[in-house]
Amino acid sequence: MGRELQKRKNRAKVPKLKKKRKLLRNGDKKINVLGNQLIADNWNKNETLIQNYRRLGLTTRLNAPTGGVERPHGVDAVAADKLTSDSLHITGTTTAPNGNTLFDPEEVQVERDPETGKILRVISGHNQEEDDEIEVAGQKVKRSNPLSDPINDIENGVTSLHKKAGLGTSSTSASEFVRQLEMRALQEEEAVKKRRPRQQSKREEEWVEKLIARHGDNVLAMVRDRKLNPMQQSEGDIRRRVRIYKERRSA
């Protein structure tokens, strides 16, 4: 009987609803790479994901590829290997594309913001003026990399390789695209900061006021009160609501 019903269902002209798969065939989560408008505007459908990301100055993965990598055309094998090696990849080596050591552990002094604790500047030594200047041909000049940032060595090495291979325009456009992404991220961050925080409604204020009138500052008693707290709000939730209520009243 079941087989006959299945045959009749297959012959029916009623369209079947198929759920969209959120996973790929290998089980990985399907990601919409064109979700960002900037990436969608600069996307080339004739190129692969890795080729598009490499052209835009991005990377598709942090771990270095274990297999072969597509080499650019028109360059020799040595330059191609260095161009395809991404500075953002995590590898076992600690050398930059120009052959210098990537990380040289050392102790430095930092200046932090007393309120937020964020690092404002890095002091390479005890005397900041001496660290920022070096002596060249008997004259003191300002050091180009006073913070000993290894990223500068990576960028310089990659830039020189691109110039030798005749790919300077692509590198410039990639850095410009990354700058646009950073500007978009900063704008979104500023918009989040300017967003108005959630305000307590009038009914919520009345409810918190009743809890305080009956139990004072005893939050545990507020949690156990079945009449005033029928939805069994947690201790942390009630404590947060009471704090917001008091801050608004004191303001």
Side-chain angles (χ1 to χ4, degrees):
M1 186 64 181
R3 182 177 175 83
E4 298 299 328
L5 290 176
Q6 191 66 29
K7 288 182 179 180
R8 189 182 304 172
K9 189 187 299 183
N10 292 336
R11 290 195 301 266
K13 296 182 179 180
V14 179
K16 299 177 182 178
L17 297 177
K18 293 184 179 180
K19 294 183 179 180
K20 294 184 178 180
R21 287 177 55 87
K22 295 183 180 180
L23 299 177
L24 299 175
R25 294 184 180 274
N26 58 0
D28 295 339
K29 184 178 179 181
K30 188 182 297 184
I31 301 175
N32 182 18
V33 294
L34 301 181
N36 188 289
Q37 188 61 34
L38 286 175
I39 296 179
D41 295 340
N42 295 273
W43 194 262
N44 187 359
K45 295 182 179 180
N46 297 327
E47 295 179 354
T48 62
L49 175 67
I50 297 178
Q51 290 173 345
N52 275 287
Y53 269 46
R54 185 183 299 165
R55 177 172 51 83
L56 298 177
L58 306 176
T59 182
T60 56
R61 55 189 301 176
L62 293 179
N63 291 329
T66 56
V69 180
E70 180 185 6
R71 293 181 177 179
H73 298 286
V75 296
D76 56 346
V78 178
D81 291 338
K82 293 182 178 180
L83 286 173
T84 53
S85 62
D86 198 335
S87 59
L88 299 177
H89 283 161
I90 300 175
T91 59
T93 60
T94 58
T95 55
N98 57 1
N100 297 335
T101 303
L102 188 59
F103 296 107
D104 188 12
E106 60 177 342
E107 293 184 359
V108 296
Q109 296 179 351
V110 296
E111 181 181 352
R112 294 181 179 271
D113 189 347
E115 296 181 357
T116 62
K118 294 183 178 180
I119 296 178
L120 300 178
R121 65 190 183 103
V122 179
I123 305 174
S124 300
H126 298 286
N127 193 342
Q128 179 66 16
E129 296 181 357
E130 294 180 358
D131 292 332
D132 288 345
E133 295 181 353
I134 57 176
E135 187 173 350
V136 178
Q139 297 181 355
K140 287 189 175 182
V141 296
K142 197 168 185 180
R143 184 184 296 181
S144 59
N145 186 15
L147 303 182
S148 301
D149 191 358
I151 302 297
N152 287 15
D153 298 334
I154 295 174
E155 292 177 351
N156 295 336
V158 174
T159 304
S160 60
L161 288 173
H162 277 282
K163 289 182 179 179
K164 291 180 181 179
L167 302 176
T169 306
S170 175
S171 176
T172 305
S173 60
S175 60
E176 179 67 20
F177 178 79
V178 173
R179 189 186 65 82
Q180 293 179 5
L181 282 179
E182 292 175 350
M183 291 295 296
R184 176 69 64 86
L186 289 176
Q187 292 175 0
E188 293 178 355
E189 185 178 354
E190 291 295 331
V192 170
K193 290 181 180 179
K194 294 179 181 179
R195 189 180 301 170
R196 182 186 177 188
R198 177 186 174 276
Q199 304 292 326
Q200 286 185 339
S201 62
K202 187 175 181 180
R203 292 189 61 183
E204 184 178 354
E205 289 182 351
E206 293 176 355
W207 175 64
V208 175
E209 188 175 357
K210 291 180 181 178
L211 288 174
I212 295 175
R214 175 174 293 187
H215 302 288
D217 295 334
N218 192 350
V219 181
L220 292 177
M222 298 179 186
V223 175
R224 297 191 183 98
D225 193 336
R226 294 189 176 182
K227 290 185 178 180
L228 291 180
N229 187 21
M231 303 304 295
Q232 293 298 298
Q233 301 291 340
S234 63
E235 179 183 355
D237 184 71
I238 294 180
R239 192 183 302 276
R240 178 179 58 83
R241 295 174 189 267
V242 171
R243 176 178 55 80
I244 295 175
Y245 174 81
K246 290 182 178 180
E247 289 178 355
R248 186 171 181 181
R249 289 293 180 180
S250 60

